[in-house]
Amino acid sequence: MSDRFAVLPQYLMPKQALTILAGRIASFRGGGLTTRLIKWFVGRYQVNMNEAANPNLESYPTFNDFFTRPLKKGARPLARADLICPVDGAISQFGAITGDQIFQAKGHNYSSTALVGGDAELAARFNDGSFATLYLSPKDYHRIHMPCDGRLTRMIYVPGDLFSVNPTTARGVPGLFARNERVVCVFESARGPFVLVLVGATIVGSMATVWHGLVNPPRPGVVRDWRYDDKPIHLKQGQEMGRFLLGSTVVMLFPKGPLKFNPAWVPARVIRLGEAMASQRA
């Protein structure tokens, strides 16, 4: 079966209604029902609770509390690298941005302007730069951390579709990451600007950042833009910057310059928060 044919049902399903319902279930304090749901999920997806700060499944009052659980201290040591991997998950794609075109999958590119919500001036800062797209599966740790030290300058909420972001959908839906709902976070670092985009998906009930809290819902259907030039929001490498309430994908953009990805990285490789992602030295 071709990937495009496999994703056809997603065009027809009521994705936003399913996402709203999933969000309500995930935040519901259901006592024993919630515990049973969590235990089913752990068994279905083989979640490693030995790494969790709190491995007691019965202690989580909501599914969201379980899903966004913190890890034990020291569970993810940070490599000595200019850029570290910001999440647990798998590599979707990474490499060079060709002009303003980002590679999604064979036969599919999308523009950096579309990804950041239509701001061509912002996108131009990453022309001929580098990108990395990282997929978080249901079993993964779902907090996102900083790849390097950074000062937040801007956050943009971009409304959009809610397609799944699994590998099959990435191969079958053109421009997937630039058409799904997303939160674009813009930072300045010692080596220039970078963008970290949280991409929503079917049943991703919400996305949150440490400086704002929940970004969605609400879902107003229009682009929302926050500026932080006059607010000293500095985050250190490895510090939490946000989280998904149910899983999705992170896309990072870096400007043109001496960036070399970890030679062990290849598409579909399993990755862990804190491992070396790239060097930015000539």
Side-chain angles (χ1 to χ4, degrees), residues 15-244:
K15 295 182 287 294
Q16 182 148 337
L18 288 172
T19 299
I20 291 171
L21 176 61
R24 290 175 178 172
I25 292 172
S27 61
F28 176 64
R29 293 176 178 267
L33 288 174
T34 295
T35 299
R36 284 197 289 275
L37 175 61
I38 292 171
K39 288 181 177 179
W40 171 84
F41 189 92
V42 169
R44 171 67 177 79
Y45 292 105
Q46 297 298 296
V47 178
N48 183 5
M49 292 302 294
N50 292 325
E51 297 180 326
N54 176 15
N56 181 6
L57 300 182
E58 297 180 354
S59 68
Y60 292 99
T62 71
F63 186 84
N64 274 338
D65 290 322
F66 153 74
F67 198 80
T68 59
R69 63 198 175 277
L71 296 173
K72 287 179 181 176
K73 186 175 181 179
R76 295 291 184 275
L78 304 184
R80 296 188 63 175
D82 296 330
L83 296 171
I84 62 168
C85 181
V87 295
D88 282 6
I91 299 167
S92 178
Q93 298 291 341
F94 69 99
I97 301 170
T98 304
D100 69 345
Q101 293 296 298
I102 302 168
F103 181 69
Q104 176 177 303
K106 184 177 180 180
H108 297 308
N109 289 350
Y110 60 95
S111 75
S112 54
T113 300
L115 178 68
V116 301
D119 188 329
E121 183 177 352
L122 171 60
R125 301 178 76 184
F126 305 98
N127 283 357
D128 297 309
S130 301
F131 79 98
T133 304
L134 311 177
Y135 169 64
L136 288 70
S137 72
K139 71 177 182 180
D140 290 319
Y141 169 67
H142 274 80
R143 298 190 184 196
I144 306 107
H145 294 248
M146 292 291 287
C148 61
D149 293 357
R151 177 176 63 85
L152 178 73
T153 62
R154 190 177 177 190
M155 181 175 74
I156 309 162
Y157 165 78
V158 186
D161 288 322
L162 290 166
F163 287 98
S164 169
V165 290
N166 62 34
T168 299
T169 310
R171 293 190 299 267
V173 176
L176 173 65
F177 304 120
R179 64 193 295 174
N180 266 15
E181 179 181 53
R182 55 205 178 276
V183 176
V184 180
C185 304
V186 185
F187 295 92
E188 290 289 338
S189 76
R191 294 185 174 87
F194 68 95
V195 163
L196 199 158
V197 184
L198 284 61
V199 182
T202 311
I203 77 169
V204 176
S206 59
M207 294 174 277
T209 64
V210 296
W211 59 85
H212 184 90
L214 285 180
V215 180
N216 66 315
R219 290 184 167 89
V222 296
V223 173
R224 301 169 69 198
D225 198 339
W226 294 264
R227 304 277 181 155
Y228 300 96
D229 299 303
D230 59 342
K231 297 179 181 178
I233 301 177
H234 296 269
L235 298 173
K236 302 294 288 183
Q237 185 181 60
Q239 186 175 347
E240 182 188 345
M241 60 76 57
R243 62 185 67 175
F244 290 111

